[in-house]
Amino acid sequence: MLKMLALAALVGLTGSAAAQDLNGKEVVYHAGSATLKGYFVSAALQQKRPGVVILPAWMGPTAFSKKVADLLGTYGYNALVADIYGDGQVLSDTKTAAEKSGYYKKNYAEYQLRIKAAIDALVAQGADANNIAVIGYCFGGTGALEAARADLPVKGVVSFHGGLTRDTTRTVTPVMTRVLVLHGDADQTMTHADVENFRQEMRDSKADWQMDIYADAPHGFTEPGSKAYNEAAARRSWVAMGNFLDEIFGTQRSVPWRYTLADANAGK
């Protein structure tokens, strides 16, 4: 299915490139003494394409996050699924996931450093250093916002049902990158006060930001096969992300952002 999508979608960012197979591989990189193992996808069209770092949810770099990278590859992007925990760990239980993700949420500076390491690894694989975005899901969506708060070298960040809260003792600093938040109105992990506090943070930081809120969409609404999956919200948020990437990178395409991750799953 992904090859079929590639035939339709690999019409370059300007609508002129020929379809080619994706090249997915493991990439080993480092953050301090930690060995990290990301999953890199290149459309193999040319070097210096825009790049997207994908921050996975709290279970680590699962098949879902790799499918996101594969789909981004079909649109002509270089994409890297980041490894936050180290050694490419994919967790098997929510208790461990809560502990590990909670550590990085609390020690946000370490989270930011590991995100920066993923950005550097993506650039080392040939992505255009001047055209990088960070997107993330759940825990990864929290990380995408941390990338913006840390003023990492990216043009934009996208948070899919990510955590919006922050320690109120932290100083609000200017956010220079563009921010897109894709949030479910039925997200049980965020209160209305949390949403409003985040909006105020964005105002105070003078950010160029946007928030889309999807009706009846709970936390984790993007992942097909999960109890939280909301097809309409997943489809609309994917299109919103794609349009955002085209805007921040100044790209044009003849193929619209119409494919969902459910399409990718259908081919597996």
Side-chain angles (χ1 to χ4, degrees):
M1 185 64 169
L2 283 172
K3 289 185 178 180
M4 292 175 61
L5 291 179
L7 290 174
L10 270 182
V11 188
L13 298 182
T14 60
S16 62
Q20 300 185 34
D21 287 341
L22 299 175
N23 293 323
K25 64 179 182 180
E26 181 182 273
V27 171
V28 178
Y29 61 104
H30 297 86
S33 61
T35 298
L36 308 173
K37 297 177 181 179
Y39 173 73
F40 173 73
V41 173
S42 170
L45 296 174
Q46 64 184 54
Q47 295 281 56
K48 302 303 179 185
R49 307 288 285 184
V52 182
V53 170
I54 301 147
L55 302 178
W58 66 349
M59 301 303 283
T62 61
F64 172 81
S65 57
K66 293 177 181 179
K67 287 170 185 173
V68 173
D70 288 338
L71 277 180
L72 288 171
T74 68
Y75 281 95
Y77 292 106
N78 288 318
L80 177 74
V81 179
D83 175 19
I84 300 302
Y85 301 147
D87 293 320
Q89 292 181 74
V90 177
L91 306 179
S92 59
D93 66 278
T94 57
K95 181 177 183 294
T96 303
E99 292 172 352
K100 284 185 171 290
S101 62
Y103 173 84
Y104 284 99
K105 288 177 183 178
K106 181 178 180 180
N107 298 280
Y108 59 88
E110 290 188 43
Y111 198 4
Q112 292 167 346
L113 287 173
R114 297 216 169 180
I115 298 168
K116 177 59 165 58
I119 293 169
D120 292 342
L122 178 59
V123 171
Q125 292 297 316
D128 183 353
N130 296 313
N131 283 294
I132 302 294
V134 172
I135 72 171
Y137 294 81
C138 301
F139 168 57
T142 303
L145 297 178
E146 288 298 344
R149 290 168 178 142
D151 195 24
L152 297 186
V154 297
K155 280 201 165 179
V157 303
V158 183
S159 173
F160 288 87
H161 43 78
L164 306 177
T165 58
R166 54 183 288 281
D167 185 343
T168 56
T169 64
R170 293 172 63 179
T171 302
V172 175
T173 57
V175 169
M176 307 306 294
T177 191
R178 299 185 206 180
V179 177
L180 174 62
V181 173
L182 305 170
H183 181 69
D185 191 53
D187 190 326
Q188 66 277 21
T189 70
M190 293 289 111
T191 67
H192 291 299
D194 292 333
V195 174
E196 181 52 40
N197 289 339
F198 174 77
R199 293 174 63 191
Q200 188 60 51
E201 178 193 353
M202 291 293 98
R203 298 184 194 108
D204 293 342
S205 66
K206 308 300 182 185
D208 179 348
W209 67 286
Q210 177 179 336
M211 177 181 285
D212 292 355
I213 299 179
Y214 302 101
D216 302 318
H219 185 69
F221 62 78
T222 57
E223 189 165 354
S226 72
K227 292 181 179 179
Y229 182 62
N230 181 303
E231 192 279 334
R235 171 171 43 83
R236 292 168 183 169
S237 61
W238 179 261
V239 172
M241 177 206 68
N243 291 335
F244 178 78
L245 294 181
D246 284 343
E247 179 182 338
I248 65 174
F249 294 141
T251 52
Q252 298 178 351
R253 65 182 70 252
S254 59
V255 177
W257 289 89
R258 61 172 176 260
Y259 304 123
T260 71
L261 291 167
D263 293 316
N265 277 2
K268 295 295 184 179

